[in-house]
Amino acid sequence: MTYWQDIWDRWQFLWDDRGDGVTYWQWMFSAWGYTVAVAAVSLVVALAIGCLVGTLRTVSQHRVVSALATGWVELFRNIPVLVQLFLWFFVISEIVPGMRGVPSFVLACCALGFFTSARIAEQVRAGIQALPRGQRQAALAMGFTQLQAYRYVILPQTFRIIIPPLTSEAMNIVKNSSVAFAVSIPELISFAMQTQEETSRGIEVYLAATVLYIITALAISWFMSILEKRARVPGLSSQGQGAH
Amino acid sequence: MIEMKNVSKWYGATQVLNDCSLNIDKGEVVVVCGPSGSGKSTLIKTINALEPVQKGEIWVDGVAVHDRATNLPKLRSRVGMVFQHFELFPHLTVTDNLTIAQMKVLGRGQDEAKQRGLKMLERVGLTAHKDKFPGQLSGGQQQRVAIARALSMDPIVMLFDEPTSALDPEMVGEVLDVMVGLAAEGMTMMVVTHEMGFARKVSNRVIFMDVGGHILEDTSKDEFFGNIEARQPRTREFLNKILPH
């Protein structure tokens, strides 16, 4: 019994007060909340910009527009995410007027969101280009404008194709949110590092953080598989190709 | 109804249409044939500006297709097109395929669009499949839905780009039957096809194109099939190869 008793005792610190009326247990869940919040807001930013930029990269009539979109992708996917975070925190917030007072939470979401937007843009572009060329032609031949062709024909099919890579991106953004500790956002890794310092319970603290990351990732995977099932079209393979 | 004057088109340095001129009157059925790579598909797609041209003029019902100021969506909504690979929208049901452009392009109400679409679906004999998705239909059925989709826009002319080339041989007949019926009703049609039986049966005129985008022949059906000796050598060679089969 003493072996299991010993293990149980090692986790008791979670119910300790960290000194200001907040237990480590409560702190951990608040930290988990920050992780989820940073990831969720960043994902919304990344999806919005990624879809727009990825779509613009396929608009061949306007060379300037597609060149700008390409520039966006190359800029944000070729700089390490931690470097991007520091650029927002130490450079942009210092030299861009009006950015000085912006909370670090917002800066972290910008950094993570813009970084991921470049990756999502590439997936959206690849998804659009995977569609048979005739789909666009058929839409235009019926009198749709370019905008309508994207809205009613091209993008609805693209999103069905890219649900699997988007699932990976959503999981990546949760994992990448761990860099936010570097700008003092009280998320899971920040909690783990400080608690390890204060309690010397490194093994338990990092195991707990690991489990919470896994739970978050599994929840995303579960949600996306439901989304994929609901978006599935009868008679259409998951590749998004028609029956030809 | 359709007039093409000295149209030329290049992909980079390669010329795909070479000084093409033609005229299609209201109610005429014109078949375009020729070997692969002769520019047949490109030619038909210039009529609704899916393929832009560098030189020449194209007029459809008095509208200058070659003019950059022309409202292309408006023109295209009046020109029906049927593709080799059907190109139904796979994420929409058959009914939605039939109604979406009527509502979003022509501004028809849902009820009116549905009524019109289902009437055209009945015409091609597929009413029972109205709630299915394209992927659940055979190739022949998909192509008939595609024809119904184009017809529900009330087009002034129908363009067919190899409408039976991607079909199983068994399904070619059902699609051609719909097209024969359409021709009998007086629809203006331009058809790129290798189906010489169809050309013989319903066309008024046959246009023969050769590699490099030349229109070698533009002549009446009777002259084209009935007086082979008077044809260009290249046309004779083509016809001799395909007609015995």
Side-chain angles (χ1 to χ4, degrees), chain A:
Chain A
M1 270 321 279
T2 52
Y3 177 74
W4 296 106
Q5 188 65 46
D6 186 44
I7 288 178
W8 176 248
D9 287 344
R10 291 182 67 95
W11 288 89
Q12 287 307 307
F13 76 94
L14 279 176
W15 283 269
D16 290 349
D17 190 329
R18 69 175 183 189
D20 57 358
V22 177
T23 63
Y24 287 106
W25 176 259
Q26 288 166 325
W27 186 12
M28 184 171 77
F29 276 90
S30 132
W32 191 21
Y34 268 101
T35 289
V36 172
V38 169
V41 174
S42 304
L43 187 61
V44 169
V45 172
L47 278 173
I49 301 176
C51 292
L52 183 70
V53 171
T55 303
L56 290 178
R57 285 197 77 183
T58 64
V59 180
S60 52
Q61 296 93 324
H62 303 284
R63 275 157 206 265
V64 179
V65 171
S66 72
L68 284 174
T70 305
W72 177 279
V73 170
E74 295 306 339
L75 177 66
F76 286 102
R77 77 171 175 178
N78 288 321
I79 304 171
V81 63
L82 186 60
V83 176
Q84 289 194 35
L85 184 66
F86 285 152
L87 283 174
W88 281 93
F89 200 75
F90 295 112
V91 180
I92 296 174
S93 69
E94 291 299 320
I95 62 173
V96 177
M99 291 288 287
R100 191 173 289 267
V102 174
S104 56
F105 181 89
V106 174
L107 293 175
C109 290
C110 284
L112 261 177
F114 284 25
F115 172 75
T116 311
S117 79
R119 300 171 52 92
I120 289 179
E122 278 303 273
Q123 283 147 10
V124 170
R125 180 184 65 85
I128 290 173
Q129 288 173 346
L131 295 177
R133 225 180 120 235
Q135 285 288 306
R136 183 195 300 262
Q137 288 200 337
L140 295 179
M142 303 199 68
F144 283 131
T145 60
Q146 282 280 353
L147 202 64
Q148 286 177 317
Y150 275 104
R151 162 74 182 80
Y152 297 113
V153 176
I154 297 169
L155 291 180
Q157 296 182 59
T158 303
F159 286 126
R160 288 175 169 86
I161 299 177
I162 66 169
I163 288 176
L166 280 187
T167 306
S168 305
E169 286 312 323
M171 289 175 168
N172 275 342
I173 216 165
V174 171
K175 291 180 277 183
N176 287 339
S177 73
S178 59
V179 300
F181 89 89
V183 291
S184 323
I185 289 174
E187 48 69 70
L188 267 178
I189 289 303
S190 170
F191 152 82
M193 292 172 80
Q194 287 186 44
T195 305
Q196 197 266 336
E197 293 268 311
E198 292 171 17
T199 65
S200 303
R201 294 287 186 203
I203 296 172
E204 290 77 9
V205 160
Y206 280 103
L207 276 178
T210 303
V211 167
L212 289 180
Y213 275 115
I214 291 174
I215 289 173
T216 314
L218 287 176
I220 290 170
S221 163
W222 172 75
F223 175 79
M224 293 299 272
S225 71
I226 289 177
L227 196 67
E228 196 174 356
K229 276 200 193 93
R230 296 196 71 168
R232 190 169 290 159
V233 173
L236 187 66
S237 75
S238 58
Q239 255 56 49
Q241 301 289 334
H244 43 261

Side-chain angles (χ1 to χ4, degrees), chain B residues 12-204:
Chain B
T14 317
Q15 187 156 15
V16 286
L17 293 179
N18 194 332
D19 204 28
C20 297
S21 298
L22 60 87
N23 231 310
I24 298 177
D25 292 331
K26 194 170 182 336
E28 259 194 315
V29 177
V30 174
V31 162
V32 183
C33 61
S36 304
S38 58
K40 311 179 294 286
S41 289
T42 309
L43 181 80
I44 201 171
K45 283 177 181 168
T46 61
I47 291 169
N48 59 357
L50 286 182
E51 295 281 1
V53 298
Q54 282 94 11
K55 233 176 97 184
E57 294 182 6
I58 302 167
W59 296 84
V60 175
D61 196 34
V63 178
V65 181
H66 55 278
D67 188 346
R68 298 195 68 161
T70 298
N71 182 345
L72 288 179
K74 190 170 176 209
L75 169 85
R76 288 167 177 155
S77 71
R78 302 174 64 211
V79 177
M81 184 159 222
V82 175
F83 295 84
Q84 182 176 2
H85 294 291
F86 331 134
E87 306 301 351
L88 293 176
F89 306 136
H91 59 297
L92 300 176
T93 63
V94 166
T95 304
D96 289 341
N97 264 283
L98 293 167
T99 56
I100 186 163
Q102 290 189 68
M103 297 194 295
K104 305 300 178 190
V105 177
L106 302 180
R108 289 179 182 162
Q110 187 169 9
D111 293 339
E112 188 194 356
K114 205 166 167 180
Q115 200 182 359
R116 178 78 189 145
L118 291 179
K119 199 174 150 205
M120 290 301 117
L121 195 62
E122 190 184 345
R123 214 205 126 114
V124 299
L126 291 171
T127 306
H129 301 280
K130 66 182 167 66
D131 295 321
K132 288 191 180 167
F133 285 88
Q136 297 171 304
L137 302 178
S138 73
Q141 290 171 331
Q142 289 191 57
Q143 194 61 301
R144 282 147 70 198
V145 172
I147 294 173
R149 177 174 73 173
L151 289 177
S152 44
M153 300 289 283
D154 299 314
I156 55 169
V157 53
M158 285 284 286
L159 308 175
F160 294 84
D161 182 14
E162 303 208 26
T164 56
S165 303
L167 294 175
D168 285 345
E170 285 181 278
M171 296 169 180
V172 170
E174 63 188 70
V175 171
L176 289 180
D177 284 346
V178 172
M179 292 168 62
V180 170
L182 212 52
E185 279 176 26
M187 173 62 80
T188 311
M189 293 163 65
M190 184 169 177
V191 186
V192 174
T193 186
H194 298 297
E195 297 292 337
M196 288 301 120
F198 173 82
R200 270 194 166 150
K201 195 164 153 194
V202 298
S203 76
N204 302 109

